Amino acid sequence: MPMHRFFDPMMFVPEVTYTLIVVVLCLIIYLKTREIYDLTKHRGIYYFRNTFLFFGLAYVFRFFFYLFHLTQMALQLDIPRRVIGPASLVLTGYLSTMAILYLVYSSLWKRLGDKKFLILSNLAAAIISVIALMTKSPYIITIAQAVLLAAALITGYFLYKKSKKFYELLVLYLLLSIFWITSLLNLGQRVFMPFELRLGMQLISIVVFIIIYLKVAKWAK
């Protein structure tokens, strides 16, 4: 069967470009904040920078499964979609939820111990991914992460409402919320979403993430 029936450059090229930009920006932010952490040993910065490590890994694996799916179709490998889809959903859901939880914990780390956080965060990320797998819906992940971010904003308001720190966190959380929820909607509707709409959502995600990078770069100076 001809490969051109499976390979569409109009879909593949934007996906590669989008993934590379996001992964590179995640890596830059992760490395840029390393110097600050090495100097200050601030635990909040440590958890904040790991947010972008998990986001980057989530995108790497998301793209890996995308390439694997293309290769499977092109070579006519007998690997059922019910194997590739669930594996992609679970791994991407787990990593992205861990990224959200690290972001939340970066502002609440004084309230909980490290061991409690590691146990609870891994457990929560695993449970959310398994529920999404059982229901066969990535929207479970989107809703759970939106709830986590909303809870973090509400908690942060009561803890830091008299501090300028809260408003900085508010902007950052909102930007990351827009970025990641847009990304998850794009991922979940890949089959049904028109090319133009998917490309537009990718461009929005990139612009938002660039703004996040600029804010972090300014903060890191």
Side-chain angles (χ1 to χ4, degrees), residues 32 133 141 186 192 197 202:
K32 200 171 189 65
L133 174 62
I141 299 172
N186 182 27
F192 307 103
L197 181 57
Q202 289 177 338

Side-chain angles (χ1 to χ4, degrees), residues 120-179:
L120 293 176
S121 61
N122 278 280
L123 184 61
I127 290 174
I128 291 170
S129 297
V130 169
I131 293 175
L133 174 62
M134 293 175 65
T135 59
K136 299 180 181 179
S137 174
Y139 294 115
I140 297 296
I141 299 172
T142 306
I143 294 170
Q145 292 178 355
V147 169
L148 286 172
L149 286 167
L153 287 172
I154 293 171
T155 304
Y157 172 76
F158 287 106
L159 291 177
Y160 304 109
K161 60 182 178 180
K162 295 182 179 180
S163 170
K164 184 181 177 181
K165 180 179 180 181
F166 170 73
Y167 298 99
E168 294 174 353
L169 288 174
L170 175 64
V171 173
L172 184 61
Y173 280 25
L174 288 176
L175 287 172
L176 280 169
S177 299
I178 294 170
F179 162 72

